[in-house]
Amino acid sequence: MTIEQTQLGKTGPKVGRVGLGAMGMSGAYGKSDETESIATIHAALDSGATLVDTGDFYGAGHNEMLIRRALAQRPREDYQLSVKFGALRGPDGSFGGVDTRPEAMRNFLHYSLQRLGVDYVDIYRPARLDPAVPIEDTVGAIAEMVQAGYVHHIGLSEVGAQTLRRAAAVAPIVDLQIEYALITRGIEREILPAARELGIGITAYGVLSRGLLSDSLRANQTFAPDDFRAHSPRFQGENLTANLRLVSALAEIGDRHGVSVAQLAIAWVLTRGADIVPLIGARRVDRWTEAVAALDIRLSEPELAAIEAAAPAEAVAGDRYAAPQMAMLDSER
């Protein structure tokens, strides 16, 4: 199939209607297969997706080097790389805060360009707001990298409406990367309206709520120690039990339409506007194939109402991150 394209924000590039999030290919959800991961990247591009999202701290650089291998034979103009920076990691994998100082940004960018094997990054963004560095300083420094040709566009991640406005006053912001799903709709209050007012697109991650909105967890509810979900409140004890009831209600709707819960969840996000580009965190070809088929699903207003009634956002149990990570999210303040 050939995925249609949409413009990312009023100043951004044309990208595929859905993008590929590569984080899960580097251990975030337990062990993954590199050969299958590379095949998934190829499948995404072959289907018409163009946006590949990564972070320099995914697998401590492993993700970027994996993407380099996958894209080695692809023309550079056929894909866009979205890269997050700033998260600090220890050798044991622990997080040590965020550093988005201009000098740190330039250092991170240099290493990303080397690991990815490219001359420029299409969209470069701080992974989180650094409380010690004004957003104006970070965005202004990235703007200098745009002028130098090392970056083509500036993005942000998990920031609130006020920060979004401050950043946009310094330089054009093409998109905000933030979690958005049927059961994670907090951005609808202030952040999404502000982004639309400013002409900033949304690249939505977590559209399947890290696999919660799928059929897989009903069969297997155990997680490896290095799986993000082993420490996520939504996947623990009674929270998970309550959340799986929402999934079961969605499954009944999906069964009536001959689609999976994951496809239903992606199709719902796609109805929220052409300025929202879902990032599909597939790490297997069959998962990508299943996800991208959601583009063909057409949901009527009564069907959308039924979906939202089956899984209302206020019914989800547990925060989307553990407390220390929630405290780092400017978007949650």
Side-chain angles (χ1 to χ4, degrees), residues 50-208:
T50 61
L51 186 64
V52 180
D53 181 77
T54 184
D56 62 13
F57 49 94
Y58 291 171
H62 171 271
N63 204 244
E64 290 179 319
M65 292 186 286
L66 176 73
I67 289 170
R68 176 178 183 161
R69 293 197 296 277
L71 300 178
Q73 304 303 317
R74 299 275 175 159
R76 182 64 180 89
E77 63 271 15
D78 285 359
Y79 59 88
Q80 295 112 355
L81 295 171
S82 164
V83 181
K84 292 181 290 297
F85 73 91
L88 305 176
R89 304 289 298 271
D92 60 351
S94 61
F95 280 90
V98 179
D99 187 352
T100 69
R101 294 171 299 141
E103 54 269 38
M105 179 277 297
R106 289 187 287 269
N107 176 77
F108 290 134
L109 177 58
H110 175 67
Y111 282 101
S112 283
L113 292 171
Q114 291 297 313
R115 284 191 291 260
L116 289 164
V118 295
D119 297 324
Y120 65 90
V121 168
D122 296 271
I123 308 170
Y124 202 52
R125 72 184 82 240
R128 295 289 185 268
L129 182 68
D130 185 341
V133 180
I135 192 63
E136 292 86 351
D137 291 0
T138 302
V139 169
I142 302 175
E144 293 175 358
M145 296 296 96
V146 172
Q147 293 176 346
Y150 297 117
V151 172
H152 282 188
H153 302 281
I154 305 171
L156 292 172
S157 177
E158 287 289 357
V159 300
Q162 181 181 5
T163 301
L164 203 58
R165 295 182 189 280
R166 288 171 55 192
V170 176
I173 306 297
V174 298
D175 73 314
L176 170 64
Q177 189 172 121
I178 197 162
E179 188 166 354
Y180 185 49
L182 176 60
I183 57 174
T184 307
R185 300 177 62 177
I187 71 169
E188 293 177 350
R189 290 190 296 271
E190 295 182 0
I191 295 173
L192 183 56
R196 285 175 166 163
E197 176 190 334
L198 296 166
I200 296 171
I202 298 291
T203 43
Y205 75 90
V207 295
L208 299 183

